[in-house]
Amino acid sequence: MTKPAPLLIRNVRPMAGSSANIFVRDGVIADSASSGGEVPGDITVIDGQNAILLPGFVDAHTHIDKTFWGFPWQRHTAGPLITDKIDNERRVLRTLNYPTFEQASNQVRQSIRMGTTHIRSHVDVETETKLAGIEAILEVRDAFADSVTIEIVAFPQRGLLTLPGTLELMETAIAAGADLVGGIDPSSLERDPAGHLDAVFGIAERRDVGIDIHLHEPGVLGAFSIELIAERTKVLGMQGRVNISHAFCLGMLDDAYLGTLTEKLLEARISIMSHAPGFIEFPPLRRLHDAGVLICSGSDGIRDSWGPYGNADMLEKAMMLGYRSNFRRDEDLELTIEIVTKGGAAVMAQDSYGLEPGCNADLVLVPGETLAEAVVSRRPRSLVIKGGNIVARDDKCLV
Ligand SMILES: [Zn+2]
């Protein structure tokens, strides 16, 4: 990794608090003190112009292998069901035949421009393209290693057991360098909930990696899957290493059952990812957070065959979480900032994340008055720093 030059960022407001100077040495936050100290000669000085300083945004669920970002606009052609979208995606990606490295690089640069310093991407593993996606994204991870942290989830988009050969490919994907095992709708897609989850947890146990499962299943069906996931997490001692993405069902249950499931999530220390879907109920963020459930968010698909929306801006995602949750009070909008920063970092087990001295200098400067106002206004990012390197400035990605 390139050794970054020391930095002094003057006149910034950590978490929208009082003005401070931030010193960065060897890629780490060295010290923070109130405005006005002596400036050592060898330091690059940046005027923060009173902007809000946040730890870098965490996009904890996206699909950088699928995006059309940076390519010509494509008309949306998928039908309404998940199986329609899976079939449509195969057709569309085959026709377009974009190089995965280029697709992912385009999205990663856009993420960096928007202040994201950490990305967890699901990457398709299936019997037609086999490990081509994983191999391309491993190259992207290397190419951007100084500019963003990328975690890879091997993702059986088309099914794990229903598509023979996928299970073996998933295991190979982890051996090749993917960080986590993915899963998808154990009942509605795979038609074999125990079999699917046993296979997913089996790989995770053998390879000693975490799990991130796409769970779109509604109501009681989804709740049943959560129960099965929680049971396996506890039995295998995987507490704190399992995330459930979407979990729409948590927004569809009666109060008593939601309470029971919340207890199960807490016991198994399972985190929840919500991307604030526009088409369906979704988890009650404030209630789950206050109960102690760890919550993160992500872009999910950005301008791909699944849908035309998305721009990799996690500040916009915070606004959407707030908008869909009917958050109006500042303290609720502040929760959305927590979800797209600390929440995602905790899910990705980033121990040196934050604004304290000793933390990695993964930072974003957002012009704004308060955290709530910053979420609502979503101004262009004036500075993005990753490991002490300046990776974006004045709304432009520099890498
Ligand atoms: Zn997804």
Side-chain angles (χ1 to χ4, degrees), residues 61 63 122 214 246 300-301:
H61 182 123
H63 297 261
H122 297 250
H214 277 70
H246 300 309
D300 204 9

Side-chain angles (χ1 to χ4, degrees), residues 242-268:
V242 176
N243 181 71
I244 301 177
S245 286
H246 300 309
F248 302 141
C249 61
L250 291 174
M252 305 175 184
L253 304 173
D254 66 50
D255 216 51
Y257 196 7
L258 178 61
T260 305
L261 270 194
T262 303
E263 283 307 312
K264 289 180 188 295
L265 292 172
L266 288 170
E267 282 168 17

